[in-house]
Amino acid sequence: MEPARKRRISPVWEHFDLISPKKVRCLVCAKELGYNNNTSSMLRHYRAFHENEDEVGASSSHATRKQELDEALVSMIVKDTQPFTIVEDIGFRGFVSKLDPNYVLPTRQALKAMVEVKYEAEKEKTKAKIQKAAAVSLTSDMWTSMNLDAYLAITCHFVGEKSKLCSVLLGVQEFPQSHTAENIAHEKASLMAEWGITNKVTCFVTDGAPNMVACVRELKLRHHICIAHTLNLVVKKTLEQNPILSGIRAKARKLVGFFRSSTTAKEKFTQVQLHMGMPVRKLLQEVETRWNSTYLMLQRLVDLREPVGAALAGLQHDIPMITSEEFKIVEGCMSLLSPFYEATVELSAEENVSASKVIPLLKMLEQNLQEEMTKPGPPAALEMGEVLIRQLREKLYTLQSMSIMSLATLLDPRFKIIGFFSQTKATEAVKRLTAECSTIIRSQQTREDIPQASTSNEVTGGSKLWHRLDVSVMETRTSQNATVDATVEVQRYLSEPNIGRLENPLEYWERQQLIYPTLYKLAIAFLSTPASSVPCERVFSKAREVVSKRRNRLKPKTVEKLLFLNKIE
């Protein structure tokens, strides 16, 4: 019983086990020691061999905990676009102290250094991913901050592991020089070289600004103009050409402005919605440059016309109310514009394949407009529908002839030929796809084959006189074989049934890459191309949060690092 009594009293028994009346075993190193009813030998052993280990372990555990908290702090700064000075705020320091009194917050300079370390590490990881990509597509746009600093942003899109569509921010660089095509092209070329993608770019997507278009031409790359911008111009121009709807929009802007600027009107509007048992919603004001904001403004007014009318009836004002006839016109126009709004949202998505949807979506837009035009409606709405159809034909039908759009549509197993609204254009696209496929097959043949064959006795018979003719015959035969192989692969693929519209085309190509090896390479290149330059606009939306009044002294390089990390978080 004596050992048991001492075991309860002496702390050293936490590290030893009694294995017999005369022996103990160290729980740290498993060494066995003699035991004679006292713990002296056990204490000497523990102090000599293990006491420092515990201190090191405790120190290591503390260091690990600090590292975890430091990383969480950096992540918060990046995700929530918080200023570095937050570590100096009294309230934040008190909050952290309550959570973990042992954690010492880093200084503002140390926190900034930690962000830079994370940026370098994540950039190297991202570079490694991009190096594995067979092809990439880029989007680009420019932005001016609240400090009037100009920035050029480029995002990169490619198919990564497990057929996942990946999007990476390559850079948001300060651009103090003149915004000429040559200067922009030079910056883009430098950035592509830095990331090692100069020879991998399938397509560059930008808005329709002349300097951006000329810049891509300078780089000698495939190019297409952002479809979201094109749709915006089509609808915006149509809205501006309709005088009746323009008058209704002017009324709507005044009405919305009244409820947003008057505290009394705002409170009355809220009370009316609550009294009617409706969820409280605010009216939306349009933004002059975005047609979808006009759509949302008018749609919200239609949804809330009853509480709007009731609120106005109880207020003193000189705001003209939209009449019931005008609401009918708005509803007719909303019915025509609703598919355009859906198309804009779908074509602006980053997570899904989008370039291949452009031609099929435009086909669906035209068919939807034609169907709506057969229904009775206000003359102003029907007039707008006719203008929309005309604008579509003028601006968008040429997309069927663009190699990027047509090839992406064919290579999307959801659409193929069915996606086109012109059979002639579909046939031209098939020929273009076969030619692309044939080029890849020819390039796969080792370049040494023709020279070796041309110098062999089998081909030239050792005759120097017939050498050139024999080589030409060999090259023609190789070209013909490549064309035949390409035709067979393309026709076999096109003859297969289309997959469902909600299925993932990249997963299809992952399964079929051994059956259609050449088309797989083309699919990976063309299906990664985004339909719009919206990814860059999203970067700049976040940039407005980063370069705020509270953080207006951030250096451009720091802005770039924060935006890069925010994109991958």
Side-chain angles (χ1 to χ4, degrees):
M1 296 296 293
E2 184 67 19
R5 183 181 66 81
K6 290 192 176 185
R7 187 169 187 173
R8 286 196 298 268
I9 295 173
S10 176
V12 78
W13 283 105
E14 294 178 8
H15 308 287
F16 288 88
D17 194 17
L18 184 67
I19 58 176
S20 73
K22 297 293 183 182
K23 277 192 177 182
V24 293
R25 178 186 289 123
C26 177
L27 296 176
V28 180
C29 64
K31 184 175 178 63
E32 294 182 2
L33 303 174
Y35 175 68
N36 192 23
N37 290 335
N38 67 68
T39 58
S40 300
S41 60
M42 297 155 62
L43 281 169
R44 284 195 299 272
H45 172 82
Y46 178 75
R47 287 170 177 166
F49 295 101
H50 304 306
E51 195 165 38
N52 289 337
E53 291 179 7
D54 268 9
E55 292 176 0
V56 171
S59 175
S60 175
S61 175
H62 177 73
T64 302
R65 174 64 175 163
K66 177 171 171 51
Q67 184 179 358
E68 290 174 352
L69 292 173
D70 285 345
E71 290 175 358
L73 178 61
V74 169
S75 181
M76 184 195 75
I77 294 294
V78 170
K79 285 182 180 179
D80 300 339
T81 60
Q82 293 291 341
F84 293 122
T85 54
I86 193 173
V87 296
E88 298 171 353
D89 292 347
I90 296 173
F92 182 72
R93 294 181 69 86
F95 177 68
V96 171
S97 177
K98 289 292 184 183
L99 288 177
D100 190 339
N102 295 321
Y103 177 57
V104 179
L105 280 165
T107 64
R108 174 167 51 89
Q109 292 79 7
L111 180 57
K112 184 178 178 181
M114 287 155 58
V115 167
E116 292 175 351
V117 169
K118 183 171 184 178
Y119 167 77
E120 294 298 336
E122 293 296 338
K123 186 175 181 179
E124 289 305 312
K125 289 181 187 176
T126 305
K127 274 188 176 181
K129 287 182 183 178
I130 293 180
Q131 292 305 315
K132 295 178 183 178
V136 303
S137 288
L138 306 176
T139 71
S140 178
D141 204 353
M142 300 196 75
W143 171 70
T144 303
S145 73
M146 63 179 293
N147 298 327
L148 302 181
D149 296 323
Y151 288 85
L152 172 69
I154 298 180
T155 63
C156 177
H157 309 267
F158 59 96
V159 178
E161 295 178 353
K162 299 181 181 179
S163 299
K164 183 181 178 182
L165 198 59
C166 301
S167 179
V168 172
L169 176 62
L170 297 187
V172 182
Q173 298 186 336
E174 187 183 20
F175 201 86
Q177 58 265 50
S178 176
H179 296 181
T180 63
E182 292 77 13
N183 289 339
I184 298 172
H186 179 267
E187 288 298 317
K188 289 181 178 180
S190 299
L191 203 56
M192 288 188 289
E194 179 187 346
W195 285 83
I197 57 172
T198 302
N199 298 319
K200 290 185 176 183
V201 180
T202 302
C203 181
F204 228 124
V205 186
T206 70
D207 59 23
N211 58 345
M212 284 293 188
V213 176
C215 156
V216 180
R217 192 184 306 120
E218 182 95 4
L219 293 170
K220 296 181 172 58
L221 294 171
R222 278 187 171 116
H223 175 245
H224 84 74
I225 294 174
C226 169
I227 302 302
H229 281 79
T230 306
L231 281 177
N232 182 60
L233 290 174
V234 166
V235 181
K236 193 168 176 292
K237 188 174 181 180
T238 301
L239 292 174
E240 290 170 351
Q241 290 180 357
N242 193 309
I244 295 178
L245 190 59
S246 294
I248 297 173
R249 286 172 59 200
K251 269 188 174 183
R253 285 194 296 269
K254 289 182 180 179
L255 192 61
V256 173
F258 174 66
F259 278 102
R260 290 172 68 92
S261 61
S262 169
T263 305
T264 305
K266 192 184 302 182
E267 183 64 26
K268 182 68 173 177
F269 186 48
T270 301
Q271 289 175 358
V272 169
Q273 290 184 78
L274 291 172
H275 181 71
M276 290 182 171
M278 302 172 64
V280 176
R281 291 188 290 172
K282 296 179 180 179
L283 296 178
L284 303 174
Q285 187 61 278
E286 74 172 348
V287 179
E288 186 63 29
T289 56
R290 301 285 181 184
W291 84 266
N292 52 352
S293 68
T294 304
Y295 172 84
L296 293 173
M297 176 186 71
L298 295 175
Q299 189 64 60
R300 182 62 60 87
L301 273 173
V302 169
D303 294 342
L304 299 178
R305 69 176 125 178
E306 289 186 17
V308 166
L312 281 176
L315 294 167
Q316 291 185 346
H317 63 88
D318 57 354
I319 304 297
M321 180 56 183
I322 299 174
T323 66
S324 58
E325 287 299 317
E326 288 173 330
F327 267 121
K328 287 180 182 178
I329 293 173
V330 170
E331 287 175 338
C333 293
M334 292 300 97
S335 182
L336 293 171
L337 292 175
S338 175
F340 283 83
Y341 181 77
E342 291 180 35
T344 301
V345 172
E346 192 159 350
L347 291 175
S348 300
E350 284 186 68
E351 297 81 10
N352 304 314
V353 170
S354 58
S356 61
K357 293 180 182 177
V358 172
I359 294 174
L361 267 176
L362 298 182
K363 178 181 178 181
M364 294 300 103
L365 280 175
E366 190 205 28
Q367 290 180 356
N368 186 274
L369 283 173
Q370 296 286 6
E371 290 173 8
E372 289 293 326
M373 294 292 287
T374 61
K375 301 175 183 177
L382 295 176
E383 181 186 338
M384 190 185 79
E386 291 174 358
V387 176
L388 278 174
I389 291 175
R390 188 163 61 250
Q391 288 288 324
L392 269 179
R393 289 172 179 168
E394 288 177 3
K395 301 287 185 182
L396 303 175
Y397 276 29
T398 54
L399 290 171
Q400 289 184 111
S401 301
M402 290 179 59
S403 61
I404 288 290
M405 298 301 180
S406 60
L407 292 177
T409 303
L410 277 182
L411 288 165
D412 193 322
R414 299 172 296 177
F415 307 127
K416 299 183 183 178
I417 295 176
I418 296 175
F420 291 80
F421 40 63
S422 166
Q423 188 57 47
T424 302
K425 296 297 182 183
T427 303
E428 291 175 2
V430 172
K431 291 180 180 177
R432 193 177 295 122
L433 178 61
T434 304
E436 293 272 356
C437 196
S438 177
T439 300
I440 292 178
I441 292 174
R442 279 198 299 272
S443 66
Q444 287 174 339
Q445 299 168 347
T446 55
R447 296 180 180 179
E448 291 80 12
D449 285 349
I450 292 176
Q452 287 176 358
S454 64
T455 55
S456 67
N457 289 330
E458 294 180 9
V459 176
T460 65
S463 172
K464 185 177 181 180
L465 175 64
W466 291 98
H467 174 80
R468 290 188 177 277
L469 185 142
D470 292 334
V471 169
S472 298
V473 170
M474 188 69 177
E475 289 175 343
T476 303
R477 189 185 305 164
T478 301
S479 178
Q480 289 175 344
N481 289 342
T483 303
V484 170
D485 291 344
T487 303
V488 169
E489 188 168 336
V490 170
Q491 291 302 323
R492 185 181 175 190
Y493 158 69
L494 293 176
S495 64
E496 279 191 3
N498 291 23
I499 65 174
R501 186 180 62 82
L502 299 180
E503 294 185 52
N504 187 341
L506 296 177
E507 291 179 357
Y508 166 89
W509 283 111
E510 181 74 15
R511 297 191 301 268
Q512 300 293 95
Q513 61 177 304
L514 296 179
I515 299 175
Y516 306 115
T518 312
L519 287 176
Y520 170 76
K521 293 178 180 178
L522 289 170
I524 293 302
F526 287 96
L527 293 182
S528 63
T529 302
S532 73
S533 59
V534 170
C536 267
E537 294 186 20
R538 291 196 179 104
V539 170
F540 289 142
S541 294
K542 184 60 65 174
R544 289 184 181 92
E545 298 176 23
V546 173
V547 186
S548 61
K549 288 183 179 179
R550 229 185 142 189
R551 318 177 81 185
N552 60 7
R553 291 185 296 171
L554 284 175
K555 293 181 180 178
K557 279 293 181 185
T558 306
V559 172
E560 179 179 29
K561 291 168 184 175
L562 289 169
L563 289 173
F564 176 85
L565 291 172
N566 182 275
K567 180 77 173 174
I568 65 175
E569 281 285 343

